[in-house]
Amino acid sequence: MKKTVIIGATENQERKSFTAFKKLKAHNEEIVLIGNKKGAIDGVEIQTGFPEIENVHTVTMYISEKHQAEYAKYIVGLKPERVIFNPGSENTDLELFLKENGIYTERECTLVKLSLGIY
């Protein structure tokens, strides 16, 4: 099981981060939700701010570039094995910063990776 942190989590069922949560849950992945508003999806709390999280395998980004700067050092502190920049969240500067700190990044779609069994 890979612990995944979704940055940009929301209760809005129209958003891709909501769909990603549902699909990750269906794959029995451990999920931590971080969003700009508190809430919950299927009993999993959407946390705000920068909660302490250990043993993170993947951070999957669902926020636009203009909202990512505040998360740069936080993500490095999580020490994930990888960060997935989903379509619309691409950020060359953040990708370079993460790579400089030994974190693998990829411009992919979490939903596609799950559907292909390559997550």
Side-chain angles (χ1 to χ4, degrees):
M1 187 179 333
K2 301 172 184 169
K3 185 184 293 181
T4 298
V5 175
I6 297 175
I7 296 181
T10 177
E11 294 177 309
N12 182 343
Q13 297 179 18
E14 302 294 317
R15 304 292 300 209
K16 295 293 184 195
S17 63
F18 184 93
T19 305
F21 169 81
K22 291 290 202 174
K23 292 206 182 262
L24 285 162
K25 185 178 176 188
H27 282 81
N28 297 313
E29 299 292 342
E30 184 177 354
I31 310 155
V32 178
L33 302 174
I34 299 176
N36 62 3
K37 288 193 276 188
K38 290 188 179 216
I41 306 171
D42 293 348
V44 177
E45 177 188 1
I46 298 173
Q47 302 176 63
T48 59
F50 307 100
E52 290 187 34
I53 308 167
E54 296 183 4
N55 303 315
V56 175
H57 181 275
T58 301
V59 172
T60 185
M61 300 291 287
Y62 284 97
I63 57 175
S64 66
E65 180 178 354
K66 68 180 180 178
H67 298 292
Q68 293 175 9
E70 63 186 296
Y71 288 99
K73 290 182 181 176
Y74 174 69
I75 293 170
V76 170
L78 293 176
K79 301 177 184 159
E81 289 187 30
R82 67 179 174 179
V83 175
I84 299 173
F85 288 86
N86 289 279
S89 70
E90 299 89 347
N91 182 340
T92 302
D93 291 338
L94 181 54
E95 291 173 60
L96 290 173
F97 178 73
L98 295 172
K99 287 177 185 178
E100 289 169 359
N101 283 277
I103 299 170
Y104 175 75
T105 67
E106 53 186 290
R107 290 184 180 195
E108 286 287 343
C109 178
T110 298
L111 299 173
V112 170
K113 291 177 80 62
L114 286 164
S115 69
L116 293 175
I118 57 171
Y119 184 77

